[in-house]
Amino acid sequence: MKIKKVIISRSRSETIITHNILTDFDLIVPESEIELYKEVVKNADDIIAIPDNIAGLGAVRNWVLDYYSEEVISKSDAKQAIHDWEYNTGSITPLTKKMVMMYLRS
């Protein structure tokens, strides 16, 4: 089974960092910001525009799940760190590059 890696970002085209440690991913950004991200993120498989009126992490994640037919791992970009959202507890945990690589290999 193929799992698609997806980075979700909004209003962070100048500070996005997640793309620096991932490969083989799509980037999901608001349609009004797509050109800004295209200037910065050169290694995405695809940069996909989500309608601007879909806002809030929950709504965006639901849109992503509806958009893709395959299994998806989504990561939200953060200004200073990459965080993993633990669905079962609702907690947010900062991840190191090593932790992300181990997570994506599992």
Side-chain angles (χ1 to χ4, degrees):
M1 168 184 18
K2 182 177 178 173
I3 298 176
K4 186 65 185 174
K5 292 177 273 185
V6 176
I7 299 172
I8 299 170
S9 190
R10 177 182 295 267
S11 302
R12 293 191 174 141
S13 62
E14 295 180 5
T15 59
I16 185 170
I17 61 170
T18 312
H19 69 291
N20 291 323
I21 65 167
L22 295 181
T23 59
D24 306 317
F25 66 90
D26 286 352
L27 177 62
I28 309 294
V29 300
E31 59 192 347
S32 63
E33 299 177 30
I34 196 163
E35 294 305 319
L36 295 171
Y37 279 94
K38 284 182 178 180
E39 292 177 19
V40 177
V41 179
K42 305 291 186 185
N43 60 325
D45 292 343
D46 199 4
I47 300 179
I48 298 167
I50 187 170
D52 287 332
N53 65 332
I54 298 177
L57 192 52
V60 173
R61 283 188 173 161
N62 286 334
W63 185 93
V64 167
L65 291 174
D66 290 341
Y67 182 85
Y68 288 95
S69 59
E70 63 260 59
E71 295 291 321
V72 173
I73 293 177
S74 72
K75 294 292 175 198
S76 301
D77 188 60
K79 290 183 180 177
Q80 297 176 335
I82 298 169
H83 295 82
D84 181 32
W85 175 259
E86 304 226 5
Y87 290 95
N88 56 342
T89 64
S91 64
I92 299 176
T93 307
L95 299 178
T96 65
K97 182 176 181 177
K98 182 177 179 181
M99 291 168 67
V100 171
M101 292 302 142
M102 289 174 23
Y103 178 72
L104 293 176
R105 288 184 188 131
S106 63

